[in-house]
Amino acid sequence: MSRETVAAKRYAKALYEIAAAEGRTLEVEEELKALAAAFQSGDDIEHFIDSPKITEAAKWEAISRAIEGKLSKPVVSTVKLLVERGRIGLLPDLVDAYVSISSEALGLANAVVTTTYPLNEDEKQQVAAEFGALVNKKIRVENVIDTSLLGGMKVRIGDTLYDGSLAGKLERLEKSFRRQAL
């Protein structure tokens, strides 16, 4: 594990403890995700943040103007600390660590559901209910569209992949034929 990952986890743990004490765990998570997405939305922002020619004070001034009134105090304080210490590049790892910590604490699991078409809310709830019972956690569904799937779906929860795609079923069928032929 790299130093950056360890540092990001420490920041995430501290932020989680503050957010949990305030009862705003999921709100802080959404704010962090939105902030990280905004920082990664364009090369100009990344160049600005990574530039050694711009002082931390100037970076904080620009960032604080952009986020003023839009984020909670714990998130703003964390971002300020990252900027002041020249560690704003840790933000994506911090977000991942925070999501992991908050999900574990709240008994949540994130499921990436890959389908050929966008799932509606009822379908997402059905997937969440079925896989929630399987892993004994409340499931948050993220739908990813992959038009190369022939049909069915793939569900990834943590390191486990549940492959219910047509291609996956055909592959398993082919393997069973091969075993029987031996």
Side-chain angles (χ1 to χ4, degrees), residues 74-89:
V75 174
V76 171
S77 297
T78 301
V79 172
K80 182 176 183 183
L81 192 60
L82 290 173
V83 170
E84 287 174 348
R85 294 184 177 175
R87 303 195 92 177
I88 192 66

Side-chain angles (χ1 to χ4, degrees), residues 5-117:
T5 303
V6 171
K9 285 183 178 182
R10 286 187 184 143
Y11 284 108
K13 188 173 189 303
L15 181 57
Y16 173 78
E17 288 173 2
I18 293 167
E22 294 180 0
R24 303 172 77 183
T25 307
L26 294 176
E27 180 184 330
V28 167
E29 181 178 316
E30 292 306 314
E31 288 178 7
L32 284 173
K33 286 179 181 178
L35 184 62
F39 277 17
Q40 295 171 340
S41 66
D43 289 337
D44 292 340
I45 295 171
E46 287 185 45
H47 289 321
F48 174 77
I49 290 170
D50 293 336
S51 176
K53 294 179 182 178
I54 301 172
T55 67
E56 274 66 28
K59 288 177 188 178
W60 173 243
E61 186 178 322
I63 292 171
S64 67
R65 277 194 310 245
I67 64 176
E68 187 177 325
K70 297 175 184 161
L71 302 174
S72 62
K73 186 176 179 181
V75 174
V76 171
S77 297
T78 301
V79 172
K80 182 176 183 183
L81 192 60
L82 290 173
V83 170
E84 287 174 348
R85 294 184 177 175
R87 303 195 92 177
I88 192 66
L90 293 179
L91 188 62
D93 289 336
L94 185 149
V95 173
D96 292 342
Y98 184 91
V99 168
S100 177
I101 292 167
S102 67
S103 294
E104 186 66 31
L106 298 173
L108 298 172
N110 296 315
V112 178
V113 181
T114 306
T115 57
T116 58
Y117 63 92

Side-chain angles (χ1 to χ4, degrees), residues 126-181:
Q126 185 178 1
V127 169
E130 288 181 28
F131 284 92
L134 184 65
V135 298
N136 201 24
K137 291 189 176 191
K138 184 174 177 0
I139 300 292
R140 294 190 285 188
V141 174
E142 176 190 345
N143 189 204
V144 175
I145 310 305
D146 182 356
T147 55
S148 70
L149 282 179
L150 299 175
M153 70 174 60
K154 293 181 181 182
V155 179
R156 178 173 298 282
I157 301 173
D159 293 336
T160 306
L161 174 66
Y162 302 93
D163 189 352
S165 67
L166 186 56
K169 289 178 182 178
L170 290 172
E171 186 178 314
R172 288 188 295 278
L173 184 63
E174 182 181 351
K175 284 181 183 177
S176 73
F177 287 153
R178 284 188 195 149
R179 272 188 250 127
Q180 290 175 358

